[in-house]
Amino acid sequence: MKLHNAIKLVLVRAVLVSGVGSFAFAGGLNTNTNQSVIFQRSVARDASTDVDAPYANPSGTAFMDDGLYISVNNQTFWQRRGTTVHKSPVIEDGREFEGKAFVPTLPSVLATWHRGNFALSGHVGVIGGGGSISFDEGIPSFAALMASPLKQIESTLTEKGLKTTKSSVDISLDASSYIFGATLGAAYEFANMFSVYAGARFNYAINNYDGTIDNLKLNSQIPGVNADAEMVKASKLSDAFADLAENAKSKEEKVQYATLSKTFEELDNQVSMELDVEQTGFGVTPIFGLGFQYKRLTFGAKLEYNTSIEMENDTKKNGTPLPQYDDGVKDNNDIPTLVTVGLTYGVLENARVSLGYHHWFDSKANLNGDLEDYIDDTDEFLFGFEIDFLKRFTLSGGLQVTRFGITDEYISDLNINLDATTFGFGVAYWATDFMRINLSYFHSLYNDYDEKVEYGLDTYNRDSRGFGIGLDFKI
């Protein structure tokens, strides 16, 4: 393999596996079910008849009292994902690589208008993705892939009489992913206990990848230029030899220095490359719901049908050897079918418990790079409670257990989707008879995942935490 192609493959690997929605803050591989602060503070909302029902349980809007309901929410998240390398011949044992993501605002708005047996509801929010991640210190697959090309550079220079034992490059990747959704639908109550819902969501997806490899540094020992064998930029060494060539007294020296200047320039050019791609696409999600309510028991079920999204490249720079990242090229990035069911039961006049179940048909969707071939479906189990006290306060909490059907072929040091157990809790306060304030905290604990890789053993880990504040209005 030629040196420049080996280096370009570093960026190729980055983009191949970084675009699969690893920014999700609750829910499936690329779906956010976290669409309100009420969800954050009580988790199991699949039988809701509150202001979050337009997303969580749209058929439940039919059981609400007459009026106009509006819920405005904002959530803030900190995420960290890391890879610890073991048993590697090219990377220090136990070295950890980290990627960090900060999402200052994850907004959503929900609204319901109810009159008689009829309800019209809508929702706007970030349905998938929702953040950006930076790998400022690189990742192990980058380091491993670069080890051989850099050794080749060191050998090439040493053979030319320029002893070189160390080399390095700066590698960075910033990736972001968002799926914005706007939903509108209607629900109808009949027989005083049943309800049905039909609606649709328009989804607009946008992914951005900005990757660079540059700043080749070498410790080439060169008398008069780098006699102490310090780590110096290749471009600086090229300029130094160009100056020597310009001031050389003999033709032989001029040719020799000019050749060395060109050598360092060519090496620097081989490792200096860039990828700048924006992908966009859209799709429509049909949504159907069924509801049941009898005394203190409420049941809700929802089907979000598979959403076909075709992403198209808007490429400003493609420094990779693969044409699928050229301008105008298209690929699939579906939102998988989602089925949810839930129960809420009022154990007391002021206390409620809830159960929920979510299932994503991930393996049936068409994903970027045919990644659906390497996953099974996702299952999620939820529990929550709410207790009203002092007339205007509600204390709530909940637990969510997420189990992905991922394989070694799917997961990587850039695409760390791990089984998780998440807890949320918070409080609500009716500041007036028509305005409620919600505060919440949400924390996910992830299971480590070990994968045997070409350069050793990767142990993937991750954590996520966030808080939210929301205002609910009843008019």
Side-chain angles (χ1 to χ4, degrees):
M1 180 183 293
K2 293 183 179 180
L3 176 61
H4 68 281
N5 280 341
I7 296 172
K8 285 181 179 179
L9 285 177
V10 175
L11 281 178
V12 174
R13 176 179 172 87
V15 180
L16 278 173
V17 298
S18 65
V20 194
S22 56
F23 306 102
F25 304 101
L29 292 171
N30 64 344
T31 307
N32 286 333
T33 54
N34 183 355
Q35 293 298 320
S36 68
V37 177
I38 299 179
F39 172 86
Q40 262 204 347
R41 67 174 173 82
S42 52
V43 181
R45 304 299 302 174
D46 303 296
S48 172
T49 58
D50 208 331
V51 293
D52 62 327
Y55 175 81
N57 178 35
S59 63
T61 58
F63 299 128
M64 298 170 72
D65 295 333
D66 284 355
L68 176 64
Y69 302 80
I70 299 173
S71 179
V72 181
N73 306 269
N74 182 67
Q75 301 177 46
T76 300
F77 278 90
W78 291 264
Q79 288 196 350
R80 183 201 64 84
R81 58 208 72 183
T83 304
T84 304
V85 182
H86 305 282
K87 303 176 182 179
S88 173
V90 294
I91 299 175
E92 180 184 356
D93 189 60
R95 181 179 174 185
E96 185 172 11
F97 297 77
E98 283 191 342
K100 295 182 179 180
F102 173 61
V103 182
T105 177
L106 193 70
S108 63
V109 179
L110 305 101
T112 302
W113 176 77
H114 184 280
R115 187 169 184 82
N117 293 341
F118 178 79
L120 183 67
S121 63
H123 161 255
V124 177
V126 181
I127 297 300
S132 60
I133 186 167
S134 298
F135 297 91
D136 295 332
E137 299 179 359
I139 58 174
S141 60
F142 283 3
L145 284 170
M146 289 304 301
S148 179
L150 289 177
K151 285 296 182 184
Q152 186 177 337
I153 290 174
E154 294 169 13
S155 298
T156 298
L157 292 173
T158 300
E159 289 172 1
K160 292 179 179 292
L162 306 174
K163 185 179 179 181
T164 306
T165 59
K166 292 182 180 179
S167 56
S168 68
V169 290
D170 292 339
I171 306 173
S172 65
L173 175 67
D174 294 327
S176 64
S177 176
Y178 293 88
I179 303 177
F180 301 99
T183 307
L184 183 65
Y188 182 76
E189 179 189 4
F190 61 96
N192 294 321
M193 65 177 66
F194 299 100
S195 67
V196 292
Y197 170 89
R201 177 186 302 122
F202 176 79
N203 306 277
Y204 179 75
I206 180 169
N207 299 328
N208 282 282
Y209 310 106
D210 186 2
T212 58
I213 302 176
D214 58 12
N215 201 19
L216 174 64
K217 293 181 181 179
L218 304 157
N219 74 335
S220 302
Q221 190 171 24
I222 308 168
V225 176
N226 189 30
D228 296 331
E230 297 179 353
M231 291 291 285
V232 180
K233 290 183 180 180
S235 58
K236 185 175 180 179
L237 294 175
S238 176
D239 292 342
F241 278 116
D243 291 340
L244 289 174
E246 185 177 347
N247 298 318
K249 296 180 180 179
S250 67
K251 183 178 180 179
E252 291 78 7
E253 285 183 334
K254 182 180 291 291
V255 170
Q256 179 185 12
Y257 291 145
T259 300
L260 290 172
S261 176
K262 186 177 180 180
T263 296
F264 283 104
E265 181 183 7
E266 289 177 346
L267 290 174
D268 192 45
N269 288 336
Q270 286 183 12
V271 300
S272 297
M273 55 196 63
E274 181 181 359
L275 180 68
D276 188 355
V277 180
E278 180 180 276
Q279 301 173 330
T280 57
F282 65 90
V284 177
T285 308
I287 306 173
F288 304 96
L290 293 173
F292 171 80
Q293 187 176 64
Y294 180 72
K295 295 184 178 181
R296 293 183 180 180
L297 177 67
T298 305
F299 168 82
K302 179 179 67 169
L303 167 67
E304 295 188 3
Y305 195 70
N306 186 86
T307 308
S308 296
I309 297 181
E310 187 176 64
M311 306 293 286
E312 182 174 357
N313 292 346
D314 179 7
T315 304
K316 298 177 178 63
K317 179 72 175 180
N318 181 12
T320 78
L322 298 181
Q324 59 258 48
Y325 305 116
D326 290 342
D327 189 55
V329 174
K330 300 178 180 180
D331 198 1
N332 296 314
N333 191 30
D334 290 2
I335 302 174
T337 296
L338 167 63
V339 173
T340 72
V341 293
L343 287 170
T344 294
Y345 182 71
V347 293
L348 298 171
E349 285 290 338
N350 68 328
R352 299 164 295 283
V353 295
S354 300
L355 299 174
Y357 171 71
H358 300 165
H359 183 87
W360 283 267
F361 292 84
D362 297 314
S363 60
K364 306 300 188 297
N366 292 320
L367 302 178
N368 185 24
D370 296 326
L371 282 172
E372 68 273 10
D373 295 339
Y374 308 115
I375 55 177
D376 291 323
D377 295 347
T378 297
D379 292 297
E380 198 163 66
F381 308 89
L382 306 95
F383 168 78
F385 72 90
E386 289 187 307
I387 300 175
D388 303 325
F389 65 100
L390 298 179
K391 293 185 179 181
R392 290 187 177 272
F393 287 89
T394 300
L395 178 67
S396 60
L399 188 70
Q400 172 180 282
V401 178
T402 306
R403 294 295 179 260
F404 297 117
I406 59 176
T407 64
D408 285 357
E409 289 80 7
Y410 170 85
I411 199 169
S412 74
D413 50 9
L414 267 167
N415 193 35
I416 302 176
N417 281 308
L418 305 174
D419 291 346
T421 299
T422 302
F423 63 88
F425 60 86
V427 64
Y429 171 65
W430 282 100
T432 69
D433 291 339
F434 59 87
M435 185 181 74
R436 179 174 60 185
I437 302 170
N438 296 292
L439 299 173
S440 62
Y441 178 76
F442 202 66
H443 194 136
S444 295
L445 304 173
Y446 295 86
N447 298 341
D448 289 355
Y449 187 103
D450 293 332
E451 180 191 16
K452 291 183 178 179
V453 291
E454 294 180 358
Y455 52 84
L457 177 70
D458 279 351
T459 298
Y460 305 122
N461 56 81
R462 180 171 172 171
D463 60 62
S464 175
R465 64 197 68 195
F467 68 89
I469 181 170
L471 295 176
D472 301 333
F473 301 92
K474 179 182 178 181
I475 301 173

